[in-house]
Each structure stands twice: as structure tokens, then as C-alpha cells.
mmCIF file of all heavy atoms in Angstrom:
data_model
loop_
_atom_site.group_PDB
_atom_site.id
_atom_site.type_symbol
_atom_site.label_atom_id
_atom_site.label_comp_id
_atom_site.label_asym_id
_atom_site.label_seq_id
_atom_site.Cartn_x
_atom_site.Cartn_y
_atom_site.Cartn_z
ATOM 1 N N LYS A 5 -7.057 -1.789 8.953
ATOM 2 C CA LYS A 5 -5.858 -1.533 9.751
ATOM 3 C C LYS A 5 -5.073 -2.816 9.954
ATOM 4 O O LYS A 5 -5.657 -3.892 10.115
ATOM 5 C CB LYS A 5 -6.243 -0.949 11.114
ATOM 6 C CG LYS A 5 -6.992 0.377 11.025
ATOM 7 C CD LYS A 5 -7.307 0.910 12.409
ATOM 8 C CE LYS A 5 -8.051 2.243 12.317
ATOM 9 N NZ LYS A 5 -8.346 2.799 13.665
ATOM 10 N N ARG A 6 -3.746 -2.688 9.951
ATOM 11 C CA ARG A 6 -2.873 -3.827 10.209
ATOM 12 C C ARG A 6 -1.525 -3.322 10.717
ATOM 13 O O ARG A 6 -1.203 -2.132 10.584
ATOM 14 C CB ARG A 6 -2.678 -4.669 8.946
ATOM 15 C CG ARG A 6 -1.993 -3.948 7.806
ATOM 16 C CD ARG A 6 -2.029 -4.762 6.527
ATOM 17 N NE ARG A 6 -1.279 -4.154 5.431
ATOM 18 C CZ ARG A 6 -1.731 -3.181 4.663
ATOM 19 N NH1 ARG A 6 -2.939 -2.689 4.868
ATOM 20 N NH2 ARG A 6 -0.978 -2.692 3.693
ATOM 21 N N ARG A 7 -0.763 -4.212 11.306
ATOM 22 C CA ARG A 7 0.578 -3.888 11.771
ATOM 23 C C ARG A 7 1.594 -4.502 10.824
ATOM 24 O O ARG A 7 1.478 -5.666 10.449
ATOM 25 C CB ARG A 7 0.811 -4.426 13.186
ATOM 26 C CG ARG A 7 0.049 -3.678 14.271
ATOM 27 C CD ARG A 7 0.755 -2.385 14.627
ATOM 28 N NE ARG A 7 0.025 -1.627 15.647
ATOM 29 C CZ ARG A 7 0.441 -0.477 16.148
ATOM 30 N NH1 ARG A 7 1.583 0.040 15.731
ATOM 31 N NH2 ARG A 7 -0.261 0.163 17.049
ATOM 32 N N LEU A 8 2.609 -3.716 10.429
ATOM 33 C CA LEU A 8 3.654 -4.190 9.538
ATOM 34 C C LEU A 8 4.988 -3.720 10.101
ATOM 35 O O LEU A 8 5.292 -2.526 10.096
ATOM 36 C CB LEU A 8 3.451 -3.650 8.121
ATOM 37 C CG LEU A 8 4.469 -4.083 7.071
ATOM 38 C CD1 LEU A 8 4.418 -5.595 6.888
ATOM 39 C CD2 LEU A 8 4.209 -3.370 5.744
ATOM 40 N N ASP A 9 5.781 -4.684 10.610
ATOM 41 C CA ASP A 9 7.083 -4.367 11.217
ATOM 42 C C ASP A 9 6.950 -3.318 12.313
ATOM 43 O O ASP A 9 7.757 -2.389 12.434
ATOM 44 C CB ASP A 9 8.068 -3.886 10.154
ATOM 45 C CG ASP A 9 8.389 -4.960 9.131
ATOM 46 O OD1 ASP A 9 8.348 -6.153 9.506
ATOM 47 O OD2 ASP A 9 8.671 -4.616 7.971
ATOM 48 N N GLY A 10 5.905 -3.443 13.121
ATOM 49 C CA GLY A 10 5.709 -2.541 14.241
ATOM 50 C C GLY A 10 5.040 -1.227 13.880
ATOM 51 O O GLY A 10 4.740 -0.417 14.763
ATOM 52 N N GLU A 11 4.784 -0.984 12.597
ATOM 53 C CA GLU A 11 4.154 0.263 12.179
ATOM 54 C C GLU A 11 2.679 0.032 11.871
ATOM 55 O O GLU A 11 2.289 -1.034 11.393
ATOM 56 C CB GLU A 11 4.862 0.835 10.950
ATOM 57 C CG GLU A 11 6.306 1.245 11.215
ATOM 58 C CD GLU A 11 6.949 1.881 10.003
ATOM 59 O OE1 GLU A 11 6.737 1.362 8.891
ATOM 60 O OE2 GLU A 11 7.657 2.872 10.166
ATOM 61 N N LEU A 12 1.866 1.048 12.152
ATOM 62 C CA LEU A 12 0.442 0.976 11.869
ATOM 63 C C LEU A 12 0.207 1.337 10.411
ATOM 64 O O LEU A 12 0.609 2.411 9.945
ATOM 65 C CB LEU A 12 -0.321 1.941 12.783
ATOM 66 C CG LEU A 12 -1.838 2.020 12.557
ATOM 67 C CD1 LEU A 12 -2.488 0.670 12.840
ATOM 68 C CD2 LEU A 12 -2.448 3.104 13.426
ATOM 69 N N VAL A 13 -0.446 0.453 9.684
ATOM 70 C CA VAL A 13 -0.727 0.667 8.262
ATOM 71 C C VAL A 13 -2.238 0.625 8.058
ATOM 72 O O VAL A 13 -2.910 -0.302 8.521
ATOM 73 C CB VAL A 13 -0.046 -0.401 7.385
ATOM 74 C CG1 VAL A 13 -0.350 -0.159 5.915
ATOM 75 C CG2 VAL A 13 1.452 -0.408 7.627
ATOM 76 N N GLU A 14 -2.766 1.634 7.374
ATOM 77 C CA GLU A 14 -4.198 1.697 7.065
ATOM 78 C C GLU A 14 -4.379 1.899 5.563
ATOM 79 O O GLU A 14 -3.604 2.618 4.922
ATOM 80 C CB GLU A 14 -4.865 2.848 7.816
ATOM 81 C CG GLU A 14 -4.820 2.732 9.329
ATOM 82 C CD GLU A 14 -5.524 3.895 10.004
ATOM 83 O OE1 GLU A 14 -6.754 4.012 9.847
ATOM 84 O OE2 GLU A 14 -4.845 4.700 10.661
ATOM 85 N N SER A 15 -5.427 1.287 5.032
ATOM 86 C CA SER A 15 -5.757 1.440 3.611
ATOM 87 C C SER A 15 -7.253 1.656 3.479
ATOM 88 O O SER A 15 -8.047 0.940 4.108
ATOM 89 C CB SER A 15 -5.331 0.197 2.817
ATOM 90 O OG SER A 15 -3.937 -0.027 2.929
ATOM 91 N N TRP A 16 -7.642 2.634 2.667
ATOM 92 C CA TRP A 16 -9.051 2.863 2.408
ATOM 93 C C TRP A 16 -9.208 3.526 1.049
ATOM 94 O O TRP A 16 -8.213 3.831 0.381
ATOM 95 C CB TRP A 16 -9.710 3.686 3.521
ATOM 96 C CG TRP A 16 -9.250 5.094 3.698
ATOM 97 C CD1 TRP A 16 -9.789 6.218 3.153
ATOM 98 C CD2 TRP A 16 -8.139 5.551 4.501
ATOM 99 N NE1 TRP A 16 -9.099 7.343 3.551
ATOM 100 C CE2 TRP A 16 -8.099 6.962 4.392
ATOM 101 C CE3 TRP A 16 -7.205 4.917 5.298
ATOM 102 C CZ2 TRP A 16 -7.128 7.730 5.045
ATOM 103 C CZ3 TRP A 16 -6.255 5.679 5.948
ATOM 104 C CH2 TRP A 16 -6.220 7.056 5.832
ATOM 105 N N THR A 17 -10.438 3.735 0.621
ATOM 106 C CA THR A 17 -10.707 4.295 -0.707
ATOM 107 C C THR A 17 -11.590 5.520 -0.583
ATOM 108 O O THR A 17 -12.548 5.539 0.191
ATOM 109 C CB THR A 17 -11.400 3.256 -1.614
ATOM 110 O OG1 THR A 17 -10.574 2.080 -1.688
ATOM 111 C CG2 THR A 17 -11.613 3.804 -3.013
ATOM 112 N N LEU A 18 -11.261 6.549 -1.362
ATOM 113 C CA LEU A 18 -12.027 7.790 -1.407
ATOM 114 C C LEU A 18 -12.608 7.986 -2.809
ATOM 115 O O LEU A 18 -12.077 7.462 -3.793
ATOM 116 C CB LEU A 18 -11.140 8.996 -1.072
ATOM 117 C CG LEU A 18 -10.449 9.026 0.293
ATOM 118 C CD1 LEU A 18 -9.487 10.209 0.357
ATOM 119 C CD2 LEU A 18 -11.473 9.105 1.409
ATOM 120 N N ASP A 19 -13.681 8.760 -2.888
ATOM 121 C CA ASP A 19 -14.235 9.198 -4.165
ATOM 122 C C ASP A 19 -14.191 10.716 -4.168
ATOM 123 O O ASP A 19 -14.882 11.371 -3.393
ATOM 124 C CB ASP A 19 -15.668 8.699 -4.332
ATOM 125 C CG ASP A 19 -16.209 8.960 -5.735
ATOM 126 O OD1 ASP A 19 -15.614 9.796 -6.449
ATOM 127 O OD2 ASP A 19 -17.204 8.330 -6.122
ATOM 128 N N CYS A 20 -13.327 11.295 -5.021
ATOM 129 C CA CYS A 20 -13.164 12.748 -5.069
ATOM 130 C C CYS A 20 -14.007 13.398 -6.157
ATOM 131 O O CYS A 20 -13.784 14.567 -6.516
ATOM 132 C CB CYS A 20 -11.696 13.100 -5.261
ATOM 133 S SG CYS A 20 -10.652 12.676 -3.840
ATOM 134 N N GLY A 21 -14.948 12.640 -6.717
ATOM 135 C CA GLY A 21 -15.889 13.200 -7.669
ATOM 136 C C GLY A 21 -15.271 13.540 -9.015
ATOM 137 O O GLY A 21 -14.171 13.103 -9.356
ATOM 138 N N ALA A 22 -15.990 14.372 -9.774
ATOM 139 C CA ALA A 22 -15.563 14.689 -11.131
ATOM 140 C C ALA A 22 -14.278 15.512 -11.157
ATOM 141 O O ALA A 22 -13.509 15.453 -12.114
ATOM 142 C CB ALA A 22 -16.680 15.444 -11.853
ATOM 143 N N GLU A 23 -14.034 16.290 -10.098
ATOM 144 C CA GLU A 23 -12.829 17.124 -10.067
ATOM 145 C C GLU A 23 -11.569 16.300 -9.856
ATOM 146 O O GLU A 23 -10.466 16.736 -10.194
ATOM 147 C CB GLU A 23 -12.954 18.173 -8.965
ATOM 148 C CG GLU A 23 -14.113 19.145 -9.177
ATOM 149 C CD GLU A 23 -14.193 20.151 -8.053
ATOM 150 O OE1 GLU A 23 -13.233 20.926 -7.877
ATOM 151 O OE2 GLU A 23 -15.208 20.144 -7.328
ATOM 152 N N GLY A 24 -11.711 15.136 -9.265
ATOM 153 C CA GLY A 24 -10.556 14.276 -9.051
ATOM 154 C C GLY A 24 -9.671 14.733 -7.894
ATOM 155 O O GLY A 24 -10.030 15.606 -7.094
ATOM 156 N N LEU A 25 -8.494 14.166 -7.822
ATOM 157 C CA LEU A 25 -7.593 14.420 -6.702
ATOM 158 C C LEU A 25 -6.907 15.784 -6.798
ATOM 159 O O LEU A 25 -6.625 16.417 -5.773
ATOM 160 C CB LEU A 25 -6.538 13.310 -6.646
ATOM 161 C CG LEU A 25 -5.526 13.348 -5.497
ATOM 162 C CD1 LEU A 25 -6.226 13.302 -4.146
ATOM 163 C CD2 LEU A 25 -4.540 12.190 -5.621
ATOM 164 N N ALA A 26 -6.632 16.249 -8.035
ATOM 165 C CA ALA A 26 -5.954 17.541 -8.205
ATOM 166 C C ALA A 26 -6.793 18.652 -7.600
ATOM 167 O O ALA A 26 -8.002 18.740 -7.838
ATOM 168 C CB ALA A 26 -5.688 17.808 -9.681
ATOM 169 N N GLY A 27 -6.161 19.498 -6.799
ATOM 170 C CA GLY A 27 -6.872 20.592 -6.142
ATOM 171 C C GLY A 27 -7.386 20.252 -4.764
ATOM 172 O O GLY A 27 -7.833 21.142 -4.027
ATOM 173 N N ALA A 28 -7.344 18.970 -4.378
ATOM 174 C CA ALA A 28 -7.795 18.572 -3.041
ATOM 175 C C ALA A 28 -6.743 18.963 -2.006
ATOM 176 O O ALA A 28 -5.542 18.892 -2.263
ATOM 177 C CB ALA A 28 -8.050 17.072 -2.998
#
């Protein structure tokens, strides 16, 4: 988490398995 120009910004990583992101 960090603040950028007053906005809250978050970055993280997911693993959606063999099916991938499509259909999530």
C-alpha cells in the first residue's frame, strides 16, 4: 500500500491457475 497524490494505491499478485484470468 502507498499514497499517490492523495489516493490509496495497492499492488499485489494473484495466481489464477491453469484457467487463467478469463472467466474469473
Side-chain angles (χ1 to χ4, degrees):
K5 299 181 180 181
R6 63 189 185 279
R7 288 281 179 179
L8 181 63
D9 296 330
E11 295 183 318
L12 177 63
V13 180
E14 297 181 66
S15 300
W16 65 93
T17 303
L18 300 173
D19 188 343
C20 293
E23 298 180 62
L25 183 59

